Amino acid sequence: MTGLELGGEAPDFTLRDQFGQDVTLSSHRGSKAVLLLFYPNAFSGVCTGELAGIRERLDEFMTFDSEVFALSCDPVYSVRAFADAEGLNFPLLSDFWPHGEVSRAYGIFDEGKGTPRRSSYVIDPEGRVAWAVHNANPDGRDLDEHLAQLRALV
């Protein structure tokens, strides 16, 4: 499902968050591990539940040594409305234009649906892919496993 290799360099990107601010993955290189959560659609049931789970445990996921980014192909205005409606106080990034470019770079863009697959990556502080998991779109993520993989690096 993905062409990325564990231990390989994670594709860098700069995307806009729900506030229209640029977020660059490589800006964390040398300092923080990053959890990337690709999700298919804002406001969908499984995605809302997963991101609410992150919100409720945000202090466990985001520390001085780690960061969390959730990415979808929804436009910035949609991710802002989603963040506001659900109280999501961590970066939601828009891979809207060029549509799905980052999702494609990670090998998880679903061409038929125009959305990323439900995939997660832990990027180590040196910018390498340390862990990846891919769930079927109807299947929610195991946040305990995600947290364990992120903590293993920090």
Side-chain angles (χ1 to χ4, degrees), residues 39-61:
Y39 65 99
N41 296 296
F43 296 105
S44 62
V46 175
C47 298
T48 300
E50 285 181 329
L51 297 185
I54 296 286
R55 179 195 66 221
E56 291 162 12
R57 300 173 68 183
L58 195 57
D59 61 330
E60 295 177 73
F61 280 96

Side-chain angles (χ1 to χ4, degrees), residues 13 15-23 35 37-39 41-43 47-48 50-52 54-55 58 62 67-96:
F13 59 80
L15 293 174
R16 291 187 358 198
D17 69 9
Q18 68 264 40
F19 303 107
Q21 301 298 310
D22 285 346
V23 173
L35 173 60
L37 301 165
F38 288 88
Y39 65 99
N41 296 296
F43 296 105
C47 298
T48 300
E50 285 181 329
L51 297 185
I54 296 286
R55 179 195 66 221
L58 195 57
M62 289 178 67
E67 187 71 57
V68 175
F69 299 138
L71 296 84
S72 74
C73 290
D74 296 302
V76 170
Y77 302 108
S78 295
V79 295
R80 175 65 187 263
F82 184 41
D84 288 351
E86 298 301 325
L88 303 173
N89 53 349
F90 54 93
L92 302 186
L93 307 182
S94 172
D95 188 17
F96 182 70

Side-chain angles (χ1 to χ4, degrees), residues 117-118 123 125:
R117 293 183 176 90
R118 189 174 310 285
I123 310 304

Side-chain angles (χ1 to χ4, degrees), residues 19-39:
F19 303 107
Q21 301 298 310
D22 285 346
V23 173
T24 301
L25 178 63
S26 62
S27 69
H28 299 288
R29 196 166 289 155
S31 63
K32 292 187 177 189
V34 177
L35 173 60
L36 300 178
L37 301 165
F38 288 88
Y39 65 99

